[in-house]
Amino acid sequence: MPATALAGEQVLEFKLVTKPMDLKVTEVANVEGQAVMSGKMFGVAFFKDGRVAVKDFVHSADLLKGSGPIYGYSTYTFDDGSSISARYTGAIKDGRAKGEYTILSGTGAYANATGTGGFESAQAGFKGAGLYDGRFIVKTP
């Protein structure tokens, strides 16, 4: 079924599971507990409207004893081929991540999309993976 462009503003809420695929962690010499990390990550987003999207993203963090700033670039691709690409910035504090999205572009139903959004880590017992609550406020022309 072809993607249908929807003009206006949409709020898309989702649950997101992420996992590092190729993450490099570098310990900083002579600064106890300081590490810089970057690499490729992967995730699956389950949207409240029933749709599912895969998330390919690059992630970067500068953490002192597990806390500090994070940023990266994400592309969420839906099964109809539509996608949303966004930059995120945020922080990890006390083991919880929180951040903001800025939508950079989109394809299909989200062609020329702009907007914002956010995410926050949720409690989960997954080993080696994270769970988040997220949302986009998507504006399409």
Side-chain angles (χ1 to χ4, degrees), residues 43 53-58 73-77 82-86 105:
V54 294
K55 176 182 177 177
D56 285 294
F57 64 116
V58 292
Y73 294 87
S74 306
T75 296
Y76 290 78
T77 305
S82 296
S83 68
I84 295 171
S85 293
S105 66

Side-chain angles (χ1 to χ4, degrees), residues 46-83:
F46 299 90
F47 286 78
K48 270 196 173 164
D49 65 9
R51 294 182 303 154
V52 177
V54 294
K55 176 182 177 177
D56 285 294
F57 64 116
V58 292
H59 175 75
S60 182
D62 182 4
L63 305 177
L64 178 59
K65 297 180 180 154
S67 294
I70 60 173
Y71 74 92
Y73 294 87
S74 306
T75 296
Y76 290 78
T77 305
F78 296 88
D79 67 356
D80 71 356
S82 296
S83 68

Side-chain angles (χ1 to χ4, degrees), residues 3 10 16 22 26-27 37 40 59 63-64 69 75 81 83 93 97 102-103 108 120 123 129 132:
Q10 280 182 292
L16 173 66
D22 182 17
T26 307
E27 300 291 327
M37 65 180 65
K40 291 184 178 185
H59 175 75
L63 305 177
L64 178 59
T75 296
S83 68
K93 186 176 179 190
T102 301
I103 297 173
E120 196 167 328
Q123 283 300 110
Y132 301 86

Side-chain angles (χ1 to χ4, degrees), residues 83-97:
S83 68
I84 295 171
S85 293
R87 183 178 198 279
Y88 65 87
T89 59
I92 298 174
K93 186 176 179 190
D94 303 323
R96 297 186 57 83

Side-chain angles (χ1 to χ4, degrees), residues 21-35:
M21 300 309 288
D22 182 17
L23 193 64
K24 181 171 173 49
V25 178
T26 307
E27 300 291 327
V28 176
N30 301 320
V31 183
E32 187 181 335
Q34 186 77 50

